[in-house]
Amino acid sequence: MAPLLTARKAQLDAKGKGKRKADDIDVDSDDVQQPKQKRNKQRVLLLSSRGITHRMRHLMNDLETLLPHVKKDSKLDSKSQLHLLPEIADLNNCNNTLYFEARRHEDLYMWATKTPNGPSIKLHVQNVHTMDELKMTGNCLKGSRGILSFDKTFDETEWGKLTKEVFTHIFGVPPLARKAKPFIDHVLTFSILDNKIWFRNFQIMEKDPLQPNGPPQTSLVEIGPRFVLTPIRIFEGAFGGATVYSNPGSYTGANMFHAHELTSQIEFVTPASVRSVIRHARGDKYRQRKEAQEETSKRKVLRKRDEDTLAVSKVFA
């Protein structure tokens, strides 16, 4: 019996000194590594062109306040070198870009782009109202994350689905963003009405401010800013490339001469064309007034009677 015990002990010592085989290892279910969850690493580059007004600048500051994952950069000098923007976004370690382009110190256009490969959406910004201008009663924590709410109309069209996806990447704050706080206290809403995208920002109220000691009652109070976006074109690449979607009512120049007759048929009209039509209308009023004066003078000449033979000038000549 003793030799058997000695042999068994020697066998166990030999196993302990060497490496254990994979069959001898008891793997617990708790020790299995779970697949890593995909991390949201969206960062947005925010910049503008030269020539923006104070209202446009305040709108950009409001967006920077709402989106803690935004990286603001200096103004772009040239409006014709948009191909440089993907490189600038890459240098700032950003994979999204919000570029505000000002024209004639009046018109504001916004480019929402996924860099470096696209797509990119060009939109016309209208009816801009900043937070300081509105002075709403709502308020939210700076750096908090917001809930994105999209109208169901976005899912009815192909360009709406693409716009919804791009806006989700840009306006959706990642949970692990550097400046983000772990609170959700406001809602960013995007609604489509009259083929325009309406942006609103609301605070989530847990209680009624008129009854602070009453039962919890969730309500929404607008904070600001607010603006309206009109989609113009969607490009396949970043700030260029093949046109994926074009607004069917893009009328410019001579096509807008009779714009007052086409307003019920078109979707987007450039502001410069609208101002041109207004100037033409003013010219038409002036022209009509001058024509009426000429007709009046002609009627006066036709109504003038011939000199009578018994006139004083002829009798006493």
Side-chain angles (χ1 to χ4, degrees):
M1 189 69 180
L4 292 175
L5 292 175
T6 305
R8 181 60 178 169
K9 187 177 180 181
Q11 186 178 3
L12 292 175
D13 292 340
K15 280 188 178 181
K17 293 178 182 178
K19 294 183 179 179
R20 294 194 300 171
K21 296 182 181 180
D23 298 338
D24 298 333
I25 301 175
D26 295 332
V27 181
D28 297 334
S29 59
D30 298 337
D31 297 338
V32 178
Q33 293 184 355
Q34 299 294 333
K36 291 184 179 180
Q37 190 175 5
K38 191 174 181 180
R39 184 179 174 184
N40 187 2
K41 295 183 180 180
Q42 301 296 332
R43 291 194 66 189
V44 183
L45 177 67
L46 180 67
L47 74 165
S48 67
S49 65
R50 297 286 178 184
I52 61 172
T53 61
H54 67 283
R55 184 186 295 270
M56 303 173 188
R57 186 175 65 254
H58 291 173
L59 174 64
M60 292 181 60
N61 293 336
D62 291 345
L63 291 178
E64 184 185 10
T65 304
L66 284 177
L67 307 176
H69 64 303
V70 157
K71 178 72 167 64
K72 196 172 182 181
D73 200 59
S74 58
K75 297 178 182 178
L76 189 67
D77 292 328
S78 177
K79 298 177 184 177
S80 61
Q81 296 180 348
L82 298 182
H83 61 277
L84 299 176
L85 289 172
E87 299 179 11
I88 298 175
D90 187 33
L91 291 175
N92 288 277
N93 195 22
C94 297
N95 50 7
N96 303 282
T97 303
L98 273 181
Y99 173 64
F100 288 89
E101 181 181 354
R103 293 184 181 177
R104 297 183 179 89
H105 300 278
E106 297 181 79
D107 310 326
L108 180 63
Y109 297 88
M110 184 179 79
W111 288 80
T113 307
K114 290 288 297 180
T115 53
N117 299 322
S120 55
I121 308 173
K122 185 179 182 181
L123 308 109
H124 180 223
V125 186
Q126 295 173 292
N127 301 336
V128 176
H129 298 281
T130 60
M131 280 193 273
D132 294 336
E133 180 186 359
L134 290 174
K135 294 183 180 178
M136 294 288 186
T137 57
N139 193 9
C140 66
L141 181 67
K142 184 177 180 179
S144 61
R145 301 172 59 211
I147 300 173
L148 299 183
S149 173
F150 290 92
D151 187 10
K152 64 178 181 180
T153 315
F154 278 94
D155 298 327
E156 297 178 359
T157 57
E158 295 299 327
W159 72 266
K161 294 178 183 178
L162 182 58
T163 305
K164 177 181 177 181
E165 186 68 23
V166 173
F167 280 3
T168 302
H169 290 190
I170 293 177
F171 291 94
V173 180
L176 299 178
R178 185 169 59 90
K179 296 181 181 179
K181 295 182 176 60
F183 299 101
I184 297 177
D185 56 357
H186 63 279
V187 182
L188 303 177
T189 63
F190 297 89
S191 306
I192 293 181
L193 182 64
D194 296 334
N195 291 324
K196 300 178 186 294
I197 302 173
W198 300 69
F199 175 86
R200 295 290 185 272
N201 181 26
F202 295 94
Q203 176 194 1
I204 302 175
M205 297 284 292
E206 297 291 342
K207 292 185 178 181
D208 188 359
L210 300 178
Q211 298 178 354
N213 297 327
Q217 184 178 0
T218 305
S219 60
L220 297 178
V221 181
E222 187 172 359
I223 306 173
R226 59 165 67 167
F227 51 87
V228 180
L229 302 172
T230 304
I232 302 175
R233 288 198 178 210
I234 300 178
F235 298 96
E236 184 179 1
F239 299 98
T243 301
V244 178
Y245 166 80
S246 178
N247 200 317
S250 297
Y251 280 79
T252 57
N255 295 333
M256 274 298 301
F257 186 76
H258 301 290
H260 59 282
E261 302 175 0
L262 301 172
T263 50
S264 59
Q265 305 173 8
I266 59 182
E267 303 294 342
F268 172 73
V269 178
T270 59
S273 301
V274 174
R275 290 191 291 268
S276 176
V277 170
I278 293 174
R279 287 195 298 269
H280 279 292
R282 291 175 182 171
D284 290 340
K285 289 183 181 179
Y286 177 78
R287 195 179 304 109
Q288 291 173 3
R289 187 167 68 250
K290 287 299 180 182
E291 290 176 356
Q293 291 176 359
E294 291 178 1
E295 291 179 1
T296 302
S297 60
K298 288 179 181 179
R299 285 198 299 269
K300 287 182 179 179
V301 172
L302 293 175
R303 290 175 182 175
K304 188 175 181 180
R305 299 176 62 181
D306 297 334
E307 193 173 8
D308 193 4
T309 55
L310 298 177
V312 176
S313 59
K314 289 190 175 183
V315 171
F316 298 97

